[in-house]
């Protein structure tokens, strides 16, 4: 058992220092360029924060940051990406109390239920971290072609992925859409739950202190319905996860917009975030590259 | 030095027996179209009408999809994988038995040289059925979980450039996985698909497992949007692929798309020159350049540009254009007047935009649709001939100085289907292969295909893979 100090109860009369809730783009914490913010409450309607309300311009800036980060992140060794993801889990563990309180407030859960969600979220980062240097062995192949050629297929990251995070599940669901996208070398633009963005904002702070290069994960608080169409039609976005879109007509429109540059689209579906994730979110954002070379003397 | 002249060496077309008209192949039998009109398919090399085929209307599409559904639920789905495998092996053998006939028929209907249909297309068709036959009773090892299930009915639309081969790429994995199919061959090349329907009959394939409906774009649209279709597979242009992706938005249909390309074929100064020249020629002039993965952008390192160009032009001068059934023919006919017009238009744009055009002297037949092998030099990245898919025997040549510049130029395209690298340096090959954003990288070779080798694109070249275990996954629910 690791020793931890027991902290004394905080001074009851102390006026606490509150945080400004901002976006996380390109490794920095800007406010929305639009100057907009919106009120976030807890599940009972009590004021929690004024979150930045991201705009079309913020989404475009985030895509630029994600594209800029893609070359470096996707060419890191898989071992290194795995360590960075594991580092995210480590840093989250240190903020366990904060996450638990925020998830409890956002989702209206008991603190013990919230704690189990935070546990599962941290464990999920660990699970995905381990995939970094195993994916190519599981989904790649050596191809026995009928001729004197060495032929192999490897998975590669698709590129910039837009993730419209689930609206209900503020941390475990969020983690479960981000981790599989970035572990293989993609970079991400995330639109958080509109009503429950606080754990996502804190996750941004974790990213910033976990050796995740700036731009690999960009977090926008605001409305997926408002920002989604700009990301779905953005020609420098390679894939989109429509998870956070609850209206089927809206999902259809976004999928149709995404067809413009043949984005890889993940349609919204019933999700059980506690279930074992399987490979499908990992392979969703992978391309297969096949390389041929003649064999001869 | 005088050259030996070639005597004509035509392959006999007596081996094929083309009927004057064909119905649709639905539920195991050829039937008249109920609400479509007949249309003609011609030989692009002679403009001779080969046969009349039926355009499937909406009611025909519906009938075919229902037949496929019934066959899926009653027969093909419940059938043990071992037996599905045996049917596929039978089909593979029948293709081998009728190989010469299929090759001649393909060359007649498509215009491609018999040398290619005989030595490339048809052997690969048989190989694909053999490969996927073996998967049918091993699906639990395909990577789609312990109890993989087929999607159900696959609606498949294929292009005219490799008619029978594209059919094999679509039908073999679909059937192996337990799906049934409705396939629409291209409007201009329906004959080998209809011959394949006969092969299904000879194999005693249960009715409805394979349905072949002929027609044009409207028929394809009706097929992929039909609510009874669970899985859509399309090979063709990026424009149509985009339209399909839009059309299926908001549905439960699964989609794989294999679309256009503008592949860079990159020649470094240390490349083995003779093989490289052959590779460039094969890359762009194979199948008249009607190849989505054609090496249509040649990137040559500046230091060897003059030598490569001189040798390339000399080699192009020896290419023989003409009768597709002549065994000595290297370049056959352009598949259709529409495609010929497109190639002419873009070539004219190339000239208008300032690139320099060159073709060897060659006599083109007076009948049919022909375009000489053509190379454009002085091409910049902004030129339309460097950006748009021409889908013809037209090569655009650009230059580079450093590997980084080669990568930058090669990746400067919305497409990402294939790329070629020519160099003797192994570490550079692997570095280039890593850097190139393309689904297939051929190093010191080009335009190689194999049923065991996954093929498909990045970016706007589509999604999903065909070939190998990856190709099977596209037909399994997971």
């Amino acid at each position: 058992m690791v020793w931890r100090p027991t902290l004394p109860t905080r001074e009851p009369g102390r006026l606490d220092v509150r945080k400004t809730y901002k976006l996380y783009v390109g490794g920095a914490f800007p406010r929305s360029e639009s100057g907009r913010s919106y009120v976030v409450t807890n599940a009972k309607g009590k004021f929690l924060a004024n979150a930045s309300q991201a705009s079309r311009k913020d989404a475009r800036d985030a895509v630029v940051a994600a594209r800029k980060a893609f070359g470096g992140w996707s060419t890191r060794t898989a071992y290194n990406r795995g360590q960075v993801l594991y580092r995210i889990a480590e840093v989250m563990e240190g903020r366990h109390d904060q996450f638990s309180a925020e998830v409890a407030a956002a989702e209206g859960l008991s603190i013990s239920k919230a704690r189990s969600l935070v546990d599962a979220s941290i464990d999920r980062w660990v699970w995905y971290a381990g995939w970094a240097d195993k994916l190519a062995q599981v989904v790649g192949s050596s191809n026995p072609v009928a001729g004197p050629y060495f032929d192999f297929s490897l998975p590669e990251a698709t590129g910039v992925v837009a993730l419209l995070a689930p609206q209900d599940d503020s941390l475990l669901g969020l983690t479960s859409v981000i981790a599989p996208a970035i572990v293989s070398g993609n970079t991400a633009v995330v639109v958080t739950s509109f009503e429950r963005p606080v754990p996502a904002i804190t996750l941004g702070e974790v990213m910033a202190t976990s050796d995740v290069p700036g731009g690999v994960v960009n977090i926008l608080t605001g409305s997926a319905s408002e920002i989604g169409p700009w990301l779905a039609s953005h020609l420098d976005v390679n894939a989109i996860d429509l998870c956070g879109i609850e209206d089927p007509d809206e999902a259809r429109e976004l999928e149709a917009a995404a067809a413009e540059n043949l984005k890889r689209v993940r349609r919204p579906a019933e999700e059980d975030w506690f279930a074992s994730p399987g490979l499908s979110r990992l392979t969703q954002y992978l391309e297969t590259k096949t390389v041929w070379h003649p064999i001869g003397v | 030095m005088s050259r030996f002249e070639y005597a004509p060496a035509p392959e006999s077309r007596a081996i094929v027996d083309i009927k004057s008209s064909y119905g649709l192949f639905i539920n195991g039998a050829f039937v008249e179209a109920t609400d479509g009109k007949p249309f003609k398919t011609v030989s692009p090399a002679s403009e001779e009408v080969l046969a009349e085929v039926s355009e499937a209307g909406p009611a025909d599409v519906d009938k075919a999809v229902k037949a496929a559904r019934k066959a899926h639920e009653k027969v093909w789905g419940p059938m043990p994988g071992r037996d599905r495998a045996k049917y596929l092996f039978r089909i593979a053998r029948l293709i081998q038995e009728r190989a010469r006939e299929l090759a001649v028929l393909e060359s007649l209907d498509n215009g491609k040289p018999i040398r290619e249909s005989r030595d490339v297309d048809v052997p690969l068709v048989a190989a694909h059925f053999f490969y996927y036959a073996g998967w049918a009773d091993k699906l639990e090892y395909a990577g789609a979980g312990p109890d993989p299930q087929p999607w159900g009915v696959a609606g498949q639309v294929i292009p005219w450039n490799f008619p029978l081969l594209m059919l094999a790429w679509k039908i073999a994995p679909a059937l192996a996985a337990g799906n049934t199919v409705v396939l629409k061959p291209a409007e201009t090349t329906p004959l080998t698909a209809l011959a394949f329907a006969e092969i299904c009959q000879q194999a005693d394939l249960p009715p409805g497992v394979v349905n072949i409906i002929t027609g044009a774009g409207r028929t394809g649209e009706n097929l992929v949007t039909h609510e009874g279709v669970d899985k859509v597979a399309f090979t063709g242009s990026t424009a149509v692929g985009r339209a399909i992706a839009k059309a299926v938005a908001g549905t439960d249909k699964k989609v794989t798309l294999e679309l256009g390309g503008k592949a860079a074929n990159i020649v470094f100064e240390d490349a083995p020159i003779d093989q490289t020249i052959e590779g460039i020629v094969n890359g762009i002039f194979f199948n008249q350049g009607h190849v989505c993965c054609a090496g249509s952008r040649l990137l040559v390192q500046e230091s060897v540009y003059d030598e490569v160009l001189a040798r390339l032009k000399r080699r192009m001068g020896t290419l023989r254009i003409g009768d597709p059934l002549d065994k000595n023919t290297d370049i056959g006919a352009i598949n259709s007047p529409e495609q010929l017009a497109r190639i002419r238009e873009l070539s004219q744009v190339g000239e208008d935009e300032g690139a320099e055009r060159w073709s060897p002297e060659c006599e083109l037949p007076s009948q049919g649709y022909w375009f000489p092998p053509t190379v454009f030099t002085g091409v910049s990245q902004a030129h339309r001939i460097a950006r748009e898919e021409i889908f013809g025997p037209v090569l655009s040549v650009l230059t580079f100085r450093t590997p980084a510049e080669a990568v930058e130029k090669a990746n400067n395209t919305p497409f990402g289907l294939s790329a070629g690298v020519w160099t003797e340096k192994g570490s550079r090959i692997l570095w280039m292969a890593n850097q190139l954003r393309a689904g297939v990288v051929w190093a010191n070779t080009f335009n190689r295909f194999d049923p065991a080798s996954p093929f498909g694109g990045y970016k706007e070249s589509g999604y999903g893979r065909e070939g190998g275990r990856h190709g099977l996954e596209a037909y399994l629910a997971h």
Side-chain angles (χ1 to χ4, degrees):
Chain A
M1 184 82 182
V2 178
W3 178 84
R4 294 185 199 283
T6 310
L7 299 176
T9 322
R10 283 162 66 178
E11 193 77 27
R14 182 176 180 271
L15 195 62
D16 56 352
V17 178
R18 289 185 182 170
K19 182 163 80 181
T20 306
Y21 291 85
K22 298 196 281 187
L23 311 176
Y24 179 55
V25 176
F29 295 94
R31 291 187 174 84
S32 170
E33 64 77 39
S34 65
R36 298 181 306 174
S37 64
Y38 68 103
V39 172
V40 177
T41 65
N42 71 6
K44 291 180 179 147
K46 187 170 172 296
F47 175 79
L48 281 180
N50 288 310
S52 291
Q53 188 167 1
S55 64
R56 172 176 71 169
K57 177 71 163 66
D58 294 319
R60 290 179 174 172
D61 289 348
V63 172
V64 170
R67 177 58 65 191
K68 198 171 159 200
F70 177 67
W73 181 242
S74 60
T75 52
R76 292 226 178 167
T77 64
Y79 177 44
N80 183 254
R81 277 200 304 273
Q83 288 182 89
V84 171
L85 260 73
Y86 183 74
R87 179 83 182 148
I88 294 171
E90 288 180 343
V91 176
M92 279 182 82
E93 189 80 40
R95 294 198 186 216
H96 203 297
D97 289 350
Q98 181 189 0
F99 274 116
S100 299
E102 287 173 353
V103 169
E107 301 184 21
L109 303 171
S110 69
I111 197 76
S112 66
K113 184 80 194 349
R115 279 194 183 285
S116 74
L117 278 164
V118 176
D119 288 345
S121 303
I122 294 170
D123 292 354
R124 186 130 306 162
W125 280 107
V126 174
W127 190 78
Y128 276 115
W131 268 114
D133 50 8
K134 291 153 198 78
L135 260 180
Q137 290 181 318
V138 172
V139 303
S141 60
S142 168
N143 310 315
V145 297
Y149 295 91
F150 179 49
D151 182 309
F152 59 94
S153 296
L154 289 174
E156 263 186 14
T158 294
V160 173
V161 178
L163 304 168
L164 309 183
Q167 296 299 332
D168 48 357
D169 208 304
S170 61
L171 185 63
L172 180 58
L174 177 78
T175 294
S176 303
V177 299
I178 299 176
I182 65 168
V183 66
S184 59
N186 295 286
T187 55
V189 175
V190 186
V191 182
T192 68
S193 162
F194 181 76
E195 290 180 358
R196 303 168 175 183
V198 173
I201 296 166
T202 304
L203 186 65
E205 293 164 12
V206 167
M207 297 285 169
T209 53
S210 303
D211 295 334
V212 180
V216 170
V217 177
N218 302 277
I219 298 176
L220 304 175
T221 49
S223 159
S225 298
E226 182 196 345
I227 309 168
W230 302 114
L231 290 170
S233 62
H234 197 300
L235 294 184
D236 209 24
V237 172
N238 300 100
I240 188 165
D241 181 348
L242 301 179
C243 187
I245 300 295
E246 286 161 349
D247 173 20
D249 288 335
E250 213 179 315
R252 177 173 47 74
E253 279 167 31
L254 290 176
E255 187 180 344
E260 194 53 39
N261 67 336
L262 282 311
K263 283 182 190 67
R264 287 76 174 122
V265 177
R266 189 173 180 97
R267 294 173 180 147
E270 282 295 308
E271 302 279 1
D272 173 6
W273 299 116
F274 275 104
S276 172
L279 279 182
S280 78
R281 279 186 186 272
L282 281 165
T283 54
Q284 180 86 41
Y285 312 114
L286 291 177
E287 305 295 321
T288 299
K289 177 182 279 176
T290 299
V291 181
W292 292 67
H293 195 277
I295 296 170
V297 288
Chain B
M1 194 180 82
S2 68
R3 273 209 321 238
F4 289 109
E5 286 303 318
Y6 288 83
E11 178 73 48
S12 167
R13 62 180 280 184
I15 195 168
V16 299
D17 176 20
I18 304 175
K19 297 183 180 66
S20 59
S21 72
Y22 289 86
L24 308 169
F25 184 68
I26 296 175
N27 207 26
F30 283 94
V31 295
E32 294 293 316
T34 52
D35 58 351
K37 293 186 294 283
F39 64 98
K40 294 176 171 56
T41 183
V42 304
S43 164
S46 63
E47 301 177 49
E48 167 201 359
V49 174
L50 295 171
E52 212 166 63
V53 292
S54 311
E55 182 185 10
D60 298 309
V61 171
D62 186 57
K63 206 159 83 177
V65 172
K66 283 185 173 136
R69 170 67 57 198
K70 192 170 155 220
H72 174 68
E73 284 171 2
K74 302 272 184 236
V75 187
W76 199 247
M79 185 183 287
R82 180 195 60 207
D83 290 350
R84 286 202 310 274
K86 285 185 191 165
Y87 278 113
L88 290 169
F89 280 123
R90 270 191 198 174
I91 290 171
R93 281 293 196 224
L94 284 159
I95 288 162
Q96 290 180 321
E97 285 160 19
R98 298 176 62 172
R100 189 56 52 91
E101 173 199 350
L102 292 169
V104 172
L105 192 57
E106 195 78 302
S107 282
L108 274 173
D109 203 17
N110 167 280
K112 66 172 67 199
I114 186 75
R115 189 166 57 80
E116 291 177 7
S117 54
R118 182 196 63 202
D119 297 347
V120 181
D121 293 54
V122 174
L124 277 174
V125 171
H128 263 272
F129 279 97
F130 264 103
Y131 177 83
Y132 282 108
W135 267 120
D137 53 1
K138 302 167 191 68
L139 298 180
E140 60 272 36
Y141 303 100
D147 184 27
Q149 297 297 319
W151 294 114
V153 175
Q156 306 177 315
V157 177
I158 58 170
W160 45 260
N161 57 343
F162 295 93
L164 193 60
L165 182 56
M166 292 300 104
L167 174 149
W169 283 27
K170 295 281 178 286
I171 292 184
L175 261 47
N179 302 274
T180 54
V181 306
V182 180
L183 177 133
K184 188 195 85 67
E187 184 185 5
T188 59
T189 54
L191 293 184
T192 45
L194 294 165
F196 180 81
E198 285 174 21
I199 287 174
C200 293
Q201 289 179 323
Q202 290 182 338
D204 284 328
L205 190 72
V209 172
V210 168
N211 303 275
I212 308 281
I213 55 169
T214 44
R218 182 66 59 82
T219 305
E221 194 184 327
N222 287 333
L223 175 58
V224 300
T225 56
H226 192 289
E227 59 179 18
V229 167
D230 304 298
K231 156 81 192 172
V232 173
F234 171 77
T235 297
S237 72
T238 291
V240 175
R242 188 178 286 135
I244 290 174
K246 282 197 170 112
V248 302
T251 68
D252 290 330
K253 291 182 204 294
K254 302 292 162 185
V255 187
T256 43
L257 301 169
E258 203 270 273
L259 309 176
K262 193 74 194 177
N265 202 0
I266 304 163
V267 178
F268 285 93
E269 59 187 0
D270 66 342
I273 189 79
D274 292 329
Q275 291 98 310
T276 302
I277 298 300
E278 286 309 304
I280 295 168
V281 166
N282 174 44
I284 184 63
F285 301 124
F286 175 60
N287 203 36
Q288 297 73 245
H290 300 329
V291 186
C292 45
C293 52
S296 53
R297 282 185 301 149
L298 180 64
L299 298 179
V300 186
Q301 198 155 20
E302 267 186 16
S303 48
V304 289
Y305 174 79
D306 291 337
E307 189 190 359
V308 167
L309 251 286
R311 286 195 184 224
L312 175 62
K313 286 180 174 178
R314 195 169 73 202
R315 178 67 180 91
M316 284 169 68
T318 66
L319 292 171
R320 298 175 56 80
I321 304 166
D323 181 9
L325 288 186
D326 191 313
K327 293 169 205 163
N328 293 321
T329 293
D330 296 307
I331 298 183
I334 301 301
N335 182 253
S336 67
E338 294 75 24
Q339 188 56 29
L340 182 58
R342 161 100 182 142
I343 297 167
R344 284 180 174 155
E345 183 204 328
L346 272 167
S347 299
Q348 189 56 49
V349 168
E351 277 189 67
D352 295 346
E353 290 187 341
E356 193 181 319
R357 174 175 182 165
W358 184 87
S359 290
E361 277 189 34
C362 57
E363 212 172 297
L364 301 179
S366 53
Q367 289 286 302
Y369 321 124
W370 304 91
F371 198 87
T374 299
V375 57
F376 278 97
T377 50
V379 180
S380 85
Q381 295 187 81
H383 285 163
R384 276 180 67 192
I385 54 170
R387 291 186 289 124
E388 294 180 29
E389 187 173 39
I390 300 174
F391 223 64
V394 181
L395 179 66
S396 300
V397 187
L398 297 89
T399 59
F400 68 93
R401 290 181 184 173
T402 64
E405 186 188 352
V407 167
E408 198 64 37
K409 286 184 169 170
N411 288 340
N412 184 15
T413 165
F415 297 115
L417 189 52
S418 66
V421 181
W422 297 86
T423 171
E424 288 285 44
K425 193 174 174 193
S427 57
R428 183 185 285 149
I429 288 171
L430 295 174
W431 184 82
M432 289 294 292
N434 271 345
Q435 299 291 317
L436 292 166
R437 300 289 291 163
V440 184
V441 177
W442 286 295
N444 292 329
T445 185
F446 209 94
N447 272 346
R448 297 288 156 196
F449 309 96
D450 193 278
S453 183
F455 180 95
Y458 283 34
K459 302 193 280 185
E460 293 185 29
S461 291
Y463 35 76
R465 290 293 176 271
E466 295 182 292
R469 184 189 63 75
H470 298 73
L472 190 65
E473 239 177 297
Y475 289 95
L476 290 172
H478 54 280

